[in-house]
Amino acid sequence: MVELELWAESDPTKYWDLLLLADPSEVLVQEYLTDGKLYAASWDGVTVGVFVLVPVEDTLWELKNIAVSPEWQGKGVGKALLTEAIGTARGLSAECLEVGTGNSSINQLAYYQKAGFRLDRIAKNYFTLNYDEPIFENGIQCRDMVFLKMDL
Ligand code: COA
């Protein structure tokens, strides 16, 4: 049973490896960290993951980044961390939470839907327009951003 301890972080320096796991663009991560809130989580005293929540409008927030250290993946930490992110967004008075992931991110599409997110819309060519290097996952080029949403 995963039991996470969560805290808000003002300094992202220690968490770059984790943040870049979820989003390879340091420029974009820097940009959303200016408005966003960074949280880190530990399990048994070891830092295992991070997430970033960014306000979009009124009661809508976006989960901009969520990552678990590679050695801790596949053990239920991501599921517990996503539950924490949803609870934290509720605590920030969000009524709706959205998250975007790549068309090629098959695992993440499963991960978010298992947590209750529903498919919402597609930002066509988001990755080809905003990222310098082409991204491939599961043999598919990552071109479009697929947004999922959850009412809180
Ligand atoms: N197909 C179906 N379900 C999958 C899956 C796949 N390929 N990969 C993971 N899942 C499911 C698990 O089965 C589990 O569901 P369950 O509880 O019903 O079994 C759920 O996703 C969460 O698994 P968990 O072990 O808690 O996830 P994790 O600790 O590996 O964390 C990520 C998931 C995505 C946060 C982690 O893999 C990660 O940090 N990846 C790199 C960063 C990243 O891609 N972030 C998201 C950017 S959009």
Side-chain angles (χ1 to χ4, degrees):
M1 165 79 181
V2 180
E3 282 186 33
L4 298 180
E5 190 183 324
L6 191 75
W7 65 95
E9 268 290 346
S10 51
D11 178 11
T13 333
K14 281 187 284 175
Y15 304 99
W16 273 109
D17 285 357
L18 278 165
L19 291 163
L20 293 174
L21 262 187
D23 187 338
S25 169
E26 191 167 338
V27 173
L28 290 180
V29 177
Q30 287 277 17
E31 213 170 278
Y32 57 68
L33 278 175
T34 56
D35 288 339
K37 292 177 183 292
L38 169 65
Y39 297 87
S42 66
W43 183 17
D44 279 345
V46 180
T47 302
V48 289
V50 293
F51 62 84
V52 179
L53 292 170
V54 180
V56 180
E57 59 188 40
D58 298 334
T59 53
L60 171 66
W61 284 66
E62 182 173 350
L63 177 62
K64 268 288 192 184
N65 191 309
I66 184 161
V68 170
S69 295
E71 63 272 36
W72 293 94
Q73 289 176 13
K75 298 176 166 66
V77 174
K79 190 175 178 178
L81 193 61
L82 192 49
T83 302
E84 293 286 350
I86 294 164
T88 304
R90 276 199 193 101
L92 292 165
S93 302
E95 289 175 10
C96 192
L97 183 63
E98 66 178 14
V99 63
T101 192
N103 59 283
S104 51
S105 302
I106 305 299
N107 294 356
Q108 291 80 346
L109 284 164
Y111 168 63
Y112 293 126
Q113 290 181 85
K114 281 182 171 184
F117 284 86
R118 298 278 308 273
L119 293 173
D120 187 58
R121 66 192 188 280
I122 294 172
K124 283 219 163 185
N125 296 311
Y126 178 89
F127 289 95
T128 32
L129 293 173
N130 290 289
Y131 289 74
D132 294 337
E133 301 292 328
I135 303 166
F136 282 87
E137 295 172 295
N138 304 300
I140 306 165
Q141 184 169 2
C142 184
R143 299 176 197 272
D144 308 317
M145 176 82 93
V146 180
F147 281 96
L148 300 97
K149 256 187 182 172
M150 175 190 275
D151 290 325
L152 301 175

